[in-house]
Each structure stands twice: as structure tokens, then as C-alpha cells.
């Protein structure tokens, strides 16, 4: 990789564009939330998809292709360029509705996740949760922020908890950990921490970035599930990695912490076969 390619980075203009994309998404998804005529189908992997998922992705993809024609796109519903790290490539990664099962059941814990990855590094992330009237975002080197409604954005930071015994843990589901062969690890970890709850989906990571939680772990995740989350967690002072400690959105596991607990967290999850 050349030194020139290595210096490429996301800009405040990219963040403005990403927030514009989130506004487009919110205008489509929120009116379909709890809609009586919501159309729901099942994908080949047995996960749900709604007409809102498809409409959001189509609108976002079209906007990117029109206004950022040199960039590439990868989305949950329509795919796109999923090539591994390539020097100089700017890739927008989208989950149009993260938490579709919540969305179709009327649970407000769902989000549109928008990331910009450059040279394989997620440098910008936006998490928009319109049912909660809240948006979180981060740009590498510029901090992480939360905005509720039209109030002024507030900078957010992870907690200062440094002992597992004082930590609050969130996970996606018991089933997910069991299918990953890590249920025993989860139960062991539960005995070591102060509190455990399965808040699930993107909100767990946003709560981590705000200092409300200290540890979040998931398995069987896709790049579009976490690419936008990585810069938000990191810029809030936390740490994100896969179970092997790699800072990748493409590895299938997701371990996020306040940073101080990260090695203890990974060791605890790895520690039980």
C-alpha cells in the first residue's frame, strides 16, 4: 500500500453527507414503523426483511451513486462491493434497518447504520434510531456524539470501570452464544460481572459509547451490523475488536468494551472451551 493511499481519511464533509443519508432513511423508515400494511418476507437465511428495509437501501444507494460516484457501496439487502481491503477504496456500508425483528414487532430498538470504510478501516459511523428520535455519530479523530431531537449534539464517552466485578455486560441473545459454542463462556462471564442484560442490536453499543454499559459481545455478525459502530465506540474512548483482537468488521464476532476492560473481556470469553 502506498503512503499516499494510507493518508486517505474521511472528512467532515463525508460526515455531513452521512447525516444527510440518515435523514433520508428516517423519512422512509419511521412512517413504516407499526404500519398496518407493512410487508414482511423471509430471506434464504431465514431472517426477516420488510418493504422498509428495501426502500431505505434503494434510496441510500441511489443517493450515494448520484453524489459520490467514485465511492463503492455494500448493503445488507442488495450487496455490492464486498472486496477485501483495497488501497484507496472508499466503501459505504449500510444496514438499512438493524433490528428488523424489533421493527416488525413494534419494538423501537432498531436503527439505520451507515459507515464509510477507507482502505478497509471504518472511519465514519452514523447510527440513527428515529423511533427514539436519537442519532449517534463519529468521525475518526473528531470524537463521538449523540443528538436527541433538535437539541444540541453532546459529546459522549465510555465509562471508567476497570474491574470486571463492577462491569455491566450486554449481549445479543443466549441462542447466539450457544450456536457459537460460547454459552459456557457467557455463563462464566456472567458470574464475574456486576450485571448482565440482553439489550441487543445497535443500542447496546450506543449505551457502551455513552458509558451506560461496559461490555458488549456478539457472534455471527456481518460487516453491515458493526461497521458504523466501530468508529463510534473507538471515538468515545472504547475499543472494538473480534474475538481474536483484530479491529475488523468482517470477522463474524464482535467484542466491544470501554477499553480498560478489553483484554479481561477477551480472555474471559476465550477462557471456556
Amino acid at each position: 500500500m502506498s503512503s499516499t493511499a494510507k493518508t486517505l481519511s474521511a472528512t467532515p464533509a463525508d460526515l455531513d453527507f452521512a447525516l444527510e443519508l440518515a435523514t433520508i432513511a428516517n423519512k422512509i423508515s419511521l412512517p413504516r414503523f407499526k404500519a398496518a400494511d407493512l410487508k414482511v418476507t423471509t430471506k434464504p437465511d431465514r431472517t426477516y426483511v420488510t418493504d422498509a428495509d428495501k426502500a431505505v437501501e434503494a434510496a441510500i444507494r441511489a443517493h450515494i451513486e448520484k453524489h459520490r460516484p467514485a465511492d463503492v457501496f455494500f448493503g445488507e439487502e442488495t450487496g455490492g462491493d464486498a472486496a477485501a481491503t483495497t488501497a484507496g477504496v472508499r466503501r459505504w456500508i449500510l444496514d438499512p434497518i438493524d433490528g428488523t425483528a424489533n421493527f416488525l414487532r413494534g419494538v423501537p430498538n432498531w436503527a439505520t447504520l451507515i459507515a464509510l470504510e477507507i482502505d478497509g478501516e471504518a472511519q465514519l459511523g452514523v447510527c440513527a434510531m428515529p423511533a427514539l428520535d436519537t442519532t449517534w455519530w463519529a468521525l475518526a479523530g473528531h470524537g463521538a456524539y449523540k443528538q436527541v431531537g433538535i437539541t444540541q449534539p453532546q459529546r459522549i464517552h465510555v465509562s471508567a470501570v476497570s474491574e470486571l466485578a463492577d462491569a455491566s455486560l450486554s449481549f445479543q441473545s443466549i441462542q447466539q452464544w450457544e450456536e457459537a459454542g460460547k454459552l459456557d463462556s457467557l455463563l462464566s462471564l456472567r458470574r464475574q460481572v456486576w450485571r448482565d442484560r440482553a439489550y441487543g442490536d445497535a443500542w447496546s453499543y450506543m449505551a457502551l459509547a455513552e458509558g451506560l454499559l461496559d461490555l458488549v459481545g456478539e457472534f455471527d455478525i456481518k460487516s453491515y451490523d458493526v461497521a458504523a459502530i466501530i468508529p463510534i465506540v473507538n471515538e468515545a474512548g472504547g475499543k472494538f475488536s473480534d474475538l481474536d483482537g483484530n479491529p475488523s468488521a468482517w470477522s463474524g464476532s464482535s467484542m466491544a468494551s470501554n477499553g480498560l476492560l478489553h483484554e479481561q473481556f477477551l480472555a474471559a470469553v476465550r477462557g471456556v472451551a
Side-chain angles (χ1 to χ4, degrees):
M1 184 180 295
S2 71
S3 59
T4 302
K6 198 55 179 165
T7 61
L8 291 175
S9 59
T11 67
D14 291 322
L15 176 59
D16 289 342
F17 182 68
L19 292 170
E20 180 183 326
L21 295 176
T23 298
I24 293 170
N26 291 350
K27 289 179 178 178
I28 297 170
S29 61
L30 192 56
R32 300 302 294 152
F33 183 52
K34 298 185 179 180
D37 63 342
L38 184 71
K39 296 179 177 61
V40 182
T41 56
T42 304
K43 295 189 285 189
D45 64 0
R46 295 186 295 176
T47 60
Y48 295 110
V49 61
T50 70
D51 59 272
D53 293 81
K54 294 177 181 179
V56 168
E57 182 150 327
I60 296 299
R61 183 166 191 164
H63 203 74
I64 291 171
E65 289 174 349
K66 179 179 180 180
H67 296 282
R68 295 287 192 277
D71 295 350
V72 299
F73 176 87
F74 182 71
E76 178 177 9
E77 307 306 335
T78 60
D81 189 337
T85 58
T86 305
V89 169
R90 291 166 45 97
R91 174 169 47 202
W92 293 91
I93 302 175
L94 174 71
D95 191 338
I97 297 181
D98 178 70
T100 299
N102 287 340
F103 182 88
L104 63 88
R105 286 296 299 270
V107 178
N109 179 9
W110 53 272
T112 293
L113 299 176
I114 302 165
L116 176 59
E117 184 185 77
I118 302 178
D119 289 346
E121 177 188 354
Q123 296 191 11
L124 180 160
V126 174
C127 172
M129 300 186 71
L132 300 180
D133 199 19
T134 306
T135 303
W136 296 260
W137 66 82
L139 174 66
H142 292 262
Y145 292 84
K146 171 186 178 181
Q147 183 174 28
V148 180
I150 59 173
T151 62
Q152 286 296 310
Q154 300 293 317
R155 190 160 186 174
I156 56 176
H157 302 275
V158 296
S159 75
V161 172
S162 59
E163 300 293 336
L164 280 180
D166 299 322
S168 183
L169 163 72
S170 180
F171 52 93
Q172 181 71 3
S173 70
I174 290 174
Q175 178 184 357
Q176 187 190 73
W177 283 63
E178 184 174 34
E179 291 178 350
K182 287 295 181 181
L183 181 56
D184 287 344
S185 292
L186 178 61
L187 295 176
S188 176
L189 183 59
R190 189 214 66 76
R191 298 183 189 102
Q192 298 176 63
V193 300
W194 166 61
R195 194 167 191 256
D196 65 282
R197 292 291 186 274
Y199 296 111
D201 299 306
W203 190 81
S204 288
Y205 297 95
M206 299 305 102
L208 171 71
E210 289 184 49
L212 309 180
L213 301 174
D214 311 298
L215 307 167
V216 181
E218 288 189 82
F219 293 94
D220 191 31
I221 53 96
K222 308 297 188 293
S223 60
Y224 44 75
D225 295 319
V226 293
I229 285 163
I230 294 173
I232 297 174
V233 168
N234 289 341
E235 286 297 311
K239 187 169 182 178
F240 177 97
S241 77
D242 62 17
L243 187 56
D244 294 324
N246 303 310
S248 172
W250 299 83
S251 300
S253 59
S254 170
M255 302 288 134
S257 76
N258 66 355
L260 298 173
L261 293 168
H262 205 75
E263 294 308 316
Q264 296 177 65
F265 185 29
L266 294 183
V269 177
R270 294 171 183 153
V272 180

